Amino acid sequence: MNDPATAPAHGSAAERLRRILVGNTVLTQVLDVAARADLPQWYVSAGCLAQTVWNARTSRQPPDHGIRDYDLIYFDDSDLSWEAENEAIERVRSSQAVTGPDIEVRNQARVHLWYEQRFGVPCPRYGSAEEAIDTYPTTATSIGVRVEDDGHWRFYAPFGFDDLLNLVIRPNRVLAPRAVYEKKVARWREHWPELEILPWE
């Protein structure tokens, strides 16, 4: 079994996922923008990937149905100031040839500075972008993908692909509180009633 941190997009589940994701041209545009911005340890991650899969599996159109934004994460602990993160945000904006999707850029090295104020629980200081993905509130959305210099897609999926591809929403209780999970799944249920949503307990 491949280490999820270095799993290339070949092999049955990863290749199946890649084929689904390329059907969302907005997502492929975001991947292109992210690659040109060249932020350290970057991934496009979380809901935009899962929701693209849910749309494909439930035959919803367009492929970006229900997707509010596209999360572009990176990790740079050399400067934890807001000014440095804002420079990265502006770099992404300047990489967009035209006005495109709403891309939310976040330096995962800074999350511990604001997480408790926003969500009510303290967040450990991450040591990598992958450590951040490990703590996302559901197993299905704990995933990231990037396109490497040779054009190959590389996934990080600490819980594998089964829940994502099978429309199962399972809580990942390592960090996010119950209220965050339940708020997310309530919105998702409205857009994708076919999801199998497992209770927090």
Side-chain angles (χ1 to χ4, degrees), residues 110-184:
R110 295 189 71 249
V111 171
H112 66 284
L113 298 176
W114 53 261
Y115 192 95
E116 184 172 10
Q117 182 177 5
R118 181 171 178 183
F119 296 115
V121 295
C123 176
R125 183 167 178 167
Y126 297 132
S128 67
E130 290 83 7
E131 285 186 14
I133 293 173
D134 291 345
T135 67
Y136 286 3
T138 80
T139 56
T141 57
S142 295
I143 185 169
V145 63
R146 66 170 172 254
V147 181
E148 300 189 322
D149 293 341
D150 60 5
H152 287 95
W153 287 37
R154 187 164 295 271
F155 291 102
Y156 179 73
F159 303 102
F161 303 108
D162 287 352
D163 282 353
L164 172 59
L165 293 171
N166 293 319
L167 308 184
V168 175
I169 308 302
R170 188 185 313 273
N172 178 24
R173 294 183 288 267
V174 300
L175 177 62
R178 178 174 184 163
V180 170
Y181 176 74
E182 293 183 343
K183 181 178 180 181
K184 285 182 178 294

Side-chain angles (χ1 to χ4, degrees), residues 12-13 23 25 27 50 56 65 72 88 95 100 102 106 111 118 124 144 175 182:
S12 57
T25 56
L27 174 60
H65 162 84
L72 170 54
S95 296
D102 184 9
R106 291 291 179 267
V111 171
R118 181 171 178 183
L175 177 62
E182 293 183 343

Side-chain angles (χ1 to χ4, degrees), residues 27-55:
L27 174 60
T28 57
Q29 177 189 345
V30 172
L31 284 167
D32 181 60
V33 168
R36 282 186 277 121
D38 195 29
L39 299 170
Q41 295 187 37
W42 72 269
Y43 288 96
V44 174
S45 69
C48 64
L49 304 181
Q51 291 155 18
T52 296
V53 172
W54 302 340
N55 286 333

Side-chain angles (χ1 to χ4, degrees), residues 12-24:
S12 57
E15 177 55 26
R16 180 184 176 196
L17 177 57
R18 189 194 67 80
R19 289 197 304 266
I20 291 172
L21 294 178
V22 296
N24 181 352

